[in-house]
Amino acid sequence: MTIAVIQFGGSNCDRDSVRALESLGFEAELVWHEDGLPGSVEGIMLPGGFSYGDYLRAGAMAARSPIMQEVKDAADEGTPVLGVCNGAQIGCESSLTPGVFTTNESARFQCEHVHLRVENADTPWTNHYEEGDVVELPIAHGEGRYEITDERLEELEANDRILFRYCDPDGAVTPEANPNGSKHAVAGVTGAGDHVAVMMPHPERASLADLGRTDGQGVLEGFAE
Amino acid sequence: MTVYTATVTVRLKRGVLDPEAETTQHSLERLGFELEDLRSADQFELDIDAASADEAADRAAEMAERLLANPTIHDYDVEVDQAE
């Protein structure tokens, strides 16, 4: 079981992701985007960072690099794909997942811990939690505000495609607990299938017990499904 | 063939929040200017060698569709002039 963690120019959570995945018993390897996907890959992670300097829009350039067609083909065949932070922006820019992550309502880069309510515990990425559980994960982004048309968002909600919403420590979804102005406080969504997901908060930064909380482990365990 | 300059303007759709524009507006107001609203847009100038202005416009529009704009949040328009 090898998980490819794809490095673009400007990725910076790539090695953290490998370390977090390995700590959970996965084999993970860094894959430079120009090298293409190795044949034996059984999972794909798009890590955080600032690929291509966030030029044009965060994730726009990486989403159109040739390896993303391979990622889409693998996703179509059922390979699990997880995009985190810049990886989430890349996932949306490449249409692996719906919507877009754009400039925070504050117009500032925000680096803080947030609480998330598990909205759908019936996906590989969330079935280690119960629906309604509150997890604490870090965010670090300037463009994390989820934006999508009202109609499309209703459709996603009706089809249980929201993974997490920003909430307060008690699980209440309030404007104050929404760090970036995301529409309906959405922090993560699934793609056409549950095996493809993106989220702005960083599960890999909350996975090693030596560094504190391990709330993010359950998300990464999704690769085992 | 003639070289045309296609100007692609990419704007946020009406109703999509633009925090940078809001911040810019507040700064102008702090400087004492009065204004009702401020909208920002990105503009790209593309020099394109094409058989006609229409062809240049079509190619610029395809570039906007594929990369320069994100249809989830953006509208765009294309204007073409003969390059100087």
Side-chain angles (χ1 to χ4, degrees):
Chain A
M1 175 72 187
T2 300
I3 300 165
V5 177
I6 300 180
Q7 291 177 301
F8 296 98
S11 297
N12 67 8
C13 302
D14 41 351
R15 284 176 291 181
D16 292 0
S17 300
V18 167
R19 181 173 294 186
L21 289 165
E22 286 178 345
S23 77
L24 295 172
F26 295 108
E27 278 179 38
E29 63 173 300
L30 295 173
V31 174
W32 177 240
H33 70 102
E34 288 182 343
D35 294 341
L37 278 185
S40 57
V41 160
E42 291 172 71
I44 298 167
M45 185 156 171
L46 302 169
F50 297 87
S51 57
Y52 303 92
D54 279 352
Y55 292 166
L56 194 62
R57 299 176 301 276
M61 304 294 177
R64 288 155 182 86
S65 66
I67 197 170
M68 286 307 295
Q69 188 56 52
E70 296 180 57
V71 172
K72 283 188 214 175
D73 292 345
D76 286 345
E77 288 163 16
T79 304
V81 179
L82 176 66
V84 168
C85 197
N86 189 224
Q89 296 160 337
I90 294 168
C92 283
E93 276 284 342
S94 65
S95 301
L96 268 173
T97 47
V100 58
F101 292 102
T102 188
T103 313
N104 291 349
E105 191 172 16
S106 64
R108 292 180 185 172
F109 186 88
Q110 288 176 244
C111 187
E112 58 200 67
H113 279 244
V114 298
H115 294 94
L116 303 169
R117 191 175 74 190
V118 178
E119 296 294 306
N120 175 5
D122 194 21
T123 78
W125 316 105
T126 50
N127 66 15
H128 285 74
Y129 313 103
E130 302 289 332
E131 187 176 320
D133 274 0
V134 176
V135 298
E136 184 184 322
L137 296 180
I139 57 166
H141 60 242
E143 298 176 48
R145 175 170 57 92
Y146 192 63
E147 187 62 67
I148 191 168
T149 63
D150 293 342
E151 300 75 36
R152 193 85 178 91
L153 183 51
E154 279 171 28
E155 209 178 296
L156 296 181
E157 289 171 335
N159 290 306
D160 283 332
R161 287 175 60 183
I162 312 302
L163 284 178
F164 297 105
R165 284 186 218 273
Y166 298 106
C167 66
D168 71 14
D170 300 320
V173 175
T174 64
E176 296 73 32
N178 184 340
N180 52 29
S182 285
K183 202 175 244 187
H184 291 197
V186 170
V189 295
T190 58
D194 281 351
H195 64 291
V196 177
V198 297
M199 57 191 291
M200 288 308 297
H202 287 272
E204 83 286 1
R205 293 191 189 178
S207 291
L208 300 172
D210 290 346
L211 299 179
R213 298 183 67 98
T214 57
D215 292 20
Q217 287 181 349
V219 175
L220 302 180
E221 292 283 5
F223 281 112
E225 299 297 319
Chain B
M1 301 286 265
T2 310
V3 177
Y4 296 92
T5 297
T7 302
V8 179
T9 305
V10 178
R11 295 184 178 80
L12 286 170
K13 286 180 174 167
R14 282 289 183 152
V16 176
L17 191 69
D18 187 346
E20 291 179 3
E22 279 182 25
T23 306
T24 308
Q25 179 172 350
H26 291 153
S27 281
L28 286 171
E29 287 166 346
R30 269 203 303 275
L31 290 171
F33 293 105
E34 291 180 17
L35 69 167
E36 301 307 312
D37 195 14
L38 181 151
R39 294 172 294 283
S40 65
D42 290 324
Q43 197 167 75
F44 304 89
E45 294 179 359
L46 315 169
D47 292 342
I48 298 172
D49 196 1
S52 68
D54 283 349
E55 187 201 316
D58 287 348
R59 283 166 55 189
E62 194 185 342
M63 294 182 214
E65 294 278 344
R66 290 280 301 279
L67 176 66
L68 300 177
N70 181 325
T72 303
I73 50 172
H74 291 137
D75 290 323
Y76 68 89
D77 58 52
V78 178
E79 285 182 30
V80 175
D81 289 310
Q82 205 157 314
E84 286 173 16

